[in-house]
Amino acid sequence: MIGRLRRLRAEVLGLNRRNHAYLFAYNPRDHYRVVDDKRATKAALAAHGVPTPGLRHVCDTQGRIRALGDRLAAASDFVLKPARGAGGSGIVVIVERRERRFVKASGATLGRRDLEAHACDVIAGTYSPGGQGDALLVEERVVAEPVLAALAYRGVPDVRVLVFRGVPVLAMLRLPTRRSDGRANLHLGGVGVGVALASGRTTHAVVGRRRVAAHPDLGVALADVAVPSWEEVLVLATRAADAIGLGFVGVDVVLDARRGGLVLELNARPGLGIQLANRRGLRPVLEALARATLPANPEARVRVGRDLAAGG
Amino acid sequence: MRRSAALMLGALLRHLVTPGEVVLVPRAADLLPLWEMARANLIDGTPMAEEARRWNIDAIVLGEVGLRVPSWRRPLMLAWAHAVRAQVPLGALTLILILPIIASLVVVARVVIGLETFGMFGPVIVSLAFITTGLWWGTLIFVAIVGLGVALRLALQHLRLQAVARLAILIALVAAVMGGLTLVGATLGVGPLLNISIFPMVIMSNVIESFAASQVEFGTRQALRMTATTLGLSIVCYLVVDRAGLQSLVLAFPEILLATVVVDVLLGKWRGLRLLEYVRFLGAVGEQRSDALAPAAAPGRAEPPAP
């Protein structure tokens, strides 16, 4: 037990050290603004040729909500997102139309008035920190790639890749559960499944800090699943981190059945639960990388990350 | 340290009231020996100090012949005396001086222990309020205000207002609740309720708003947990301040504030794991490192997210 605590202290990255040694040192303050606004993120990623889910409409004034409603009435599936929403709040996923009703991912249906009311809430800033107004984004819906879709309860799983100095260091699959309401965020009750960087295969799974072997709602085993297009996922994450210019960042990548890898968003204050899902502390890797000279080419840096993980 | 704080405050009292002598005794001293002491002093002219020794009371006697404040501390004593003559309540001064100490305690709770509270000001201000209202009434008032506030906040959700307007309405509600409780206090003769205005309305409104925000983001359980943590931490801070006699200490030694700054700097530089992180991440270092999924708990109801 004492030995475990000692290893914990030496290997696991805590919030204090994350804030001091990594966020403060590697993430320039003025870049936070870009990742905290999904519109700005999209623009920055597009400028570097990193694919993101297509943006259909933006609405940032209450007066245009009517017009937005008219446009949505013609669409069958889409996603509503607050531009500055935190932790997945305020996101509504419409998967299909049933006559005049819109069907949510959970199966519940909404009318046009409900959507307009939600748009009004978002623009008023209900889901955004700081109490200012916000903009509503209408994005095309991501259709999960089948291998990963089989692991999620009504929702799209994503891969969170932690990228340090442009090198992927840890990755985990985030699976929506009944409790997380279709969202993949761990603190909402999603399942975190560690993915070995070298092999692209899943390792351990956790819900909160409890270990699980299978998905709590679906019962499917979560071990040793090969994540499709693994190299592509890692390269995308690395290029996204380069595009935003953050040195210590969590990149959320989804695999769309039609378009392949897309970058959903970036997090400049990535959570540390990823260490639990991988049963691996971050400090040894981070400290090795902090001193290393790294290649300029993203693919080469992905190789560095995968080799480091295989050797550890 | 306690004795010298008593000396300082006793000297301040003597300076203000200018009696012949001031005798400070521990709170636990019985009334009868005190009466005997005073009588012996008055009738027989026995010095107070001698009389106190006879009764085995640890007394501080300040007077012509008694103890004096060290000369380098006198300017401070005179400054406080000046403040009191200018109608500054000493109690308010104490509250101001105690604030940085509580703030340091909150930093310890967050950075060393790893507790999650509604911001920094919440617990600081609430524990400050407890000093005036006392623990029981303070807790009651806190729960009443936050409870009503959250209920109203839910009702306001349907009005779809801008966040600042909503906050202004919450302030109005908190004002109404506080005014009402003051009236109740006046009618029923409950002293602590009369001091309710010490509960800073804006901060309370902020606690309500943070509650609602974390309810949207993390769910009701987590929001309740954070409210309980905020309240619990406030209670602990209050107890530390109250039981350690810090209130008289900061008046006698305001340089304690410098010490809190030093502590804050050290805590601010500290990079170690928080205590609760040891618990949270225990599973991150397995017994042995293996890359296969070990047979773990059977799937079942999910537990709440780790704090």
Side-chain angles (χ1 to χ4, degrees), chain B residues 6-232:
Chain B
L7 182 63
M8 180 79 181
L9 298 180
L12 176 59
L13 182 65
R14 176 158 180 270
H15 184 86
L16 288 170
V17 199
T18 56
E21 270 183 339
V22 170
V23 182
L24 302 169
V25 295
R27 195 188 277 184
D30 279 333
L31 215 54
L32 196 67
L34 291 183
W35 173 252
E36 288 294 332
M37 267 168 66
R39 214 175 59 148
N41 179 260
L42 213 65
I43 296 172
D44 310 334
T46 331
M48 276 292 198
E50 195 176 302
E51 216 18 60
R53 256 196 306 281
R54 201 165 72 79
W55 288 100
N56 219 356
I57 292 173
D58 182 23
I60 300 173
V61 182
L62 295 143
E64 298 299 317
V65 290
L67 292 165
R68 298 185 76 95
V69 175
S71 59
W72 66 278
R73 306 285 312 170
R74 272 188 73 82
L76 178 67
M77 193 263 282
L78 293 176
W80 288 155
H82 189 72
V84 172
R85 288 219 183 84
Q87 307 290 319
V88 179
L90 226 43
L93 215 52
T94 319
L95 288 186
I96 293 172
L97 291 176
I98 211 120
L99 196 84
I101 298 182
I102 301 179
S104 295
L105 289 175
V106 173
V107 175
V108 170
R110 289 174 64 109
V111 169
V112 179
I113 303 176
L115 293 176
E116 279 184 295
T117 58
F118 290 138
M120 169 95 195
F121 291 110
V124 171
I125 300 288
V126 172
S127 55
L128 201 63
F130 283 167
I131 292 175
T132 319
T133 57
L135 203 52
W136 298 118
W137 285 105
T139 309
L140 199 74
I141 295 164
F142 178 88
V143 172
I145 294 180
V146 174
L148 282 170
V150 168
L152 182 79
R153 175 69 175 68
L154 283 177
L156 285 179
Q157 195 77 35
H158 299 290
L159 277 182
R160 308 186 192 292
L161 302 171
Q162 298 266 15
V164 272
R166 213 168 46 213
L167 208 51
I169 298 177
L170 281 183
I171 291 176
L173 169 90
V174 174
V177 173
M178 283 174 32
L181 283 176
T182 313
L183 286 182
V184 170
T187 320
L188 302 179
V190 181
L193 285 184
L194 297 178
N195 286 322
I196 197 170
S197 61
I198 189 70
F199 264 93
M201 296 167 45
V202 176
I203 300 285
M204 293 308 284
S205 313
N206 231 335
V207 169
I208 296 167
E209 190 60 29
S210 325
F211 181 95
S214 54
Q215 193 182 23
V216 168
E217 196 174 333
F218 307 115
T220 310
R221 269 177 92 145
Q222 177 70 358
L224 281 176
R225 194 202 309 254
M226 279 172 82
T227 313
T229 313
T230 303
L231 182 60

Side-chain angles (χ1 to χ4, degrees), chain A residues 171-173 192-196 201-206 222 274 277-279:
Chain A
M172 80 177 156
L173 259 178
V193 190
V195 184
R201 287 178 170 274
T202 56
T203 55
H204 316 283
V206 289
L222 298 173
I274 194 169
N278 282 281
R279 294 206 200 150

Side-chain angles (χ1 to χ4, degrees), chain A residues 59-145:
Chain A
C59 181
D60 53 8
T61 43
Q62 303 279 3
R64 298 229 185 90
I65 289 178
R66 269 283 151 73
L68 180 77
D70 290 339
R71 287 171 151 183
L72 293 184
S76 61
D77 64 332
F78 50 85
V79 180
L80 301 180
K81 276 185 188 174
R84 294 190 295 109
S89 60
I91 296 181
V92 172
V93 182
I94 301 297
V95 290
E96 60 172 332
R97 288 291 291 276
R98 205 169 289 150
E99 282 147 33
R100 312 200 58 173
R101 306 286 291 175
F102 299 85
V103 183
K104 285 210 291 182
S106 61
T109 67
L110 298 174
R112 177 177 165 171
R113 298 286 300 269
D114 298 319
L115 289 185
E116 289 180 0
H118 183 71
C120 183
D121 272 354
V122 169
I123 293 166
T126 309
Y127 303 100
S128 325
Q132 293 140 323
D134 198 356
L136 175 77
L137 310 185
V138 183
E139 281 184 354
E140 69 176 14
R141 182 170 72 94
V142 173
V143 179
E145 186 283 332

Side-chain angles (χ1 to χ4, degrees), chain A residues 139-242:
Chain A
E139 281 184 354
E140 69 176 14
R141 182 170 72 94
V142 173
V143 179
E145 186 283 332
V147 172
L148 296 187
L151 302 179
Y153 180 86
R154 286 193 177 142
V156 181
D158 64 18
V159 183
R160 158 63 62 93
V161 184
L162 193 63
V163 182
F164 176 54
R165 293 189 68 206
V167 176
V169 288
L170 271 190
M172 80 177 156
L173 259 178
R174 305 191 305 172
L175 309 174
T177 57
R178 189 193 306 261
R179 205 162 76 83
S180 74
D181 192 22
R183 292 178 283 175
N185 304 61
L186 285 198
H187 64 257
L188 297 173
V191 186
V193 190
V195 184
L197 279 189
S199 64
R201 287 178 170 274
T202 56
T203 55
H204 316 283
V206 289
V207 174
R209 63 173 179 241
R210 196 169 57 94
R211 296 173 175 185
V212 293
H215 191 287
D217 306 314
L218 304 172
V220 290
L222 298 173
D224 210 30
V225 177
V227 179
S229 321
W230 185 236
E231 174 75 13
E232 184 194 347
V233 168
L234 294 180
V235 172
L236 266 185
T238 305
R239 284 174 50 209
D242 288 355

